[in-house]
Amino acid sequence: MRKKFIAGNWKMNTTALSGELLAAAIVKGLGGDTSVQVAVCPPFPYLFRVGQAIQGSPVALGAQNCYHEKSGAFTGEVSPDMLVDAGCQYVILGHSERRHKLRESDGFINKKTHAALAAGLRVILCVGETLEEREGNKTNQVLDEQVTAGLIGITSQTVRNMVIAYEPVWAIGTGRSATAAQAQAAHAFIRNRVAALCGPPAAAELVILYGGSATPQVAEELVRQPDIDGGLIGGASLKPDDFLSIVAMAKRAMALP
Ligand code: PEP
């Protein structure tokens, strides 16, 4: 059985102090419970401080991006090795805000994925369609393209260090979550594509997260879907009570027959 995973994408939010307090509140609320995998992904400047706040707890540290080179003259970039050095276990790549606002291509994201995996990070690869694409019945085509391009050169072994996050762009930060049926259909499609690319055993083990306005009001039904293994949570991850209640929902979903 796949373990549920709830990751908080803090985006460009918090201060050093509020980030530390948020992390401490999550650690306290979890109380050492490891039944659901939990991670927080603060902004780069707060990785160390948040890392200290979660030290010794089951909460893992993740970053929101990285560059594909190891070191050198790349002003403003952060390498996967630096993230490992800062205590990260995860890195989010291909988030739609980077794909659309910063024009990141599938090829660039794939390069970063390989570099991150080589450094020992677990990659949370985000994919998802825009509203226009959904309304034009292109959801599966877009997911196919992004998953296929994202997994170029990824084997049945290396995919074990990856998580895919299905994040419909129209649901991110809009307050309009995908329905459980829409999300389940997309997740099942993604798992089938991964089975074709990396083999059925690896696809069966792959954790696929849902992201897009996931709040305690809608998360319970989402995390109960057979192919939804948890959530990449944006806005609600900044409120410890909301985030912890989504973790509790994931835990309850795991207890279902
Ligand atoms: C995200 O950006 O990863 C996300 C899911 O955001 P939100 O939950 O705020 O829609």
Side-chain angles (χ1 to χ4, degrees), residues 7-89:
N9 174 13
W10 293 3
K11 309 194 186 190
M12 201 170 73
N13 291 302
T14 73
T15 62
L17 179 59
S18 72
E20 182 184 330
L21 294 174
L22 175 56
I26 291 166
V27 168
K28 188 165 175 234
L30 268 186
D33 191 341
T34 57
S35 42
V36 172
Q37 175 67 58
V38 175
V40 291
C41 304
F44 287 140
Y46 308 144
L47 284 171
F48 267 111
R49 193 148 164 186
V50 170
Q52 279 170 354
I54 61 176
Q55 204 166 27
S57 84
V59 180
L61 189 66
Q64 299 171 21
N65 183 36
C66 69
Y67 196 56
H68 60 276
E69 296 286 352
K70 279 181 98 55
S71 63
F74 304 102
T75 302
E77 295 297 338
V78 173
S79 75
D81 287 340
M82 290 171 180
L83 296 183
V84 172
D85 204 17
C88 290
Q89 291 176 46

Side-chain angles (χ1 to χ4, degrees), residues 9 11 95 97 167 171-173 211-214 232-235:
N9 174 13
K11 309 194 186 190
H95 192 280
E97 284 150 15
E167 298 210 310
I172 295 180
S213 298
L232 180 56
I233 315 295

